[in-house]
Amino acid sequence: MHAKFKVGDRVRWNSEAGRVSGRIVKVHTENVDYKGYTHHATAEEPQYEIKSDKTDHIAMHKGAALHKIARLARRATTAPQRHRFSS
């Protein structure tokens, strides 16, 4: 069984153009027609609708093709430090 993902998860997958990353916007648990093709989905093997980070393109993939991207810890925002050179 493959990992289950949920709406909002950041994932990556391989495409013809290389690695792509995006955010899951919808989980389909029933067959869905998309771009002229029926994507088969069940509760056990859902199809994930993903919006690309770079192009806003929408892709549809099963969980086996996806890898979850770990969330990065947010850094505290600080002003850039200025370097002082002695003269």
Side-chain angles (χ1 to χ4, degrees):
M1 189 161 124
H2 302 291
K4 297 280 183 171
F5 302 99
K6 62 185 184 302
V7 171
D9 283 349
R10 292 205 58 240
V11 295
R12 69 173 166 81
W13 66 98
N14 292 325
S15 76
E16 301 84 26
R19 284 194 178 157
V20 182
S21 63
R23 190 171 304 275
I24 294 177
V25 294
K26 191 167 186 181
V27 178
H28 296 275
T29 56
E30 296 180 354
N31 293 350
V32 59
D33 289 327
Y34 182 70
K35 293 188 176 182
Y37 176 75
T38 300
H39 290 263
H40 299 283
T42 64
E44 294 79 27
E45 291 258 359
Q47 287 274 356
Y48 297 96
E49 198 169 318
I50 311 146
K51 184 175 182 181
S52 168
D53 289 335
K54 288 186 180 178
T55 65
D56 290 339
H57 171 81
I58 301 294
M60 186 94 58
H61 292 291
K62 285 198 173 186
L66 303 174
H67 303 278
K68 189 169 182 177
I69 298 173
R71 287 191 169 180
L72 298 176
R74 291 184 182 230
R75 292 184 184 178
T77 54
T78 58
Q81 293 184 2
R82 296 179 187 250
H83 296 283
R84 294 185 69 177
F85 297 100
S86 46
S87 33

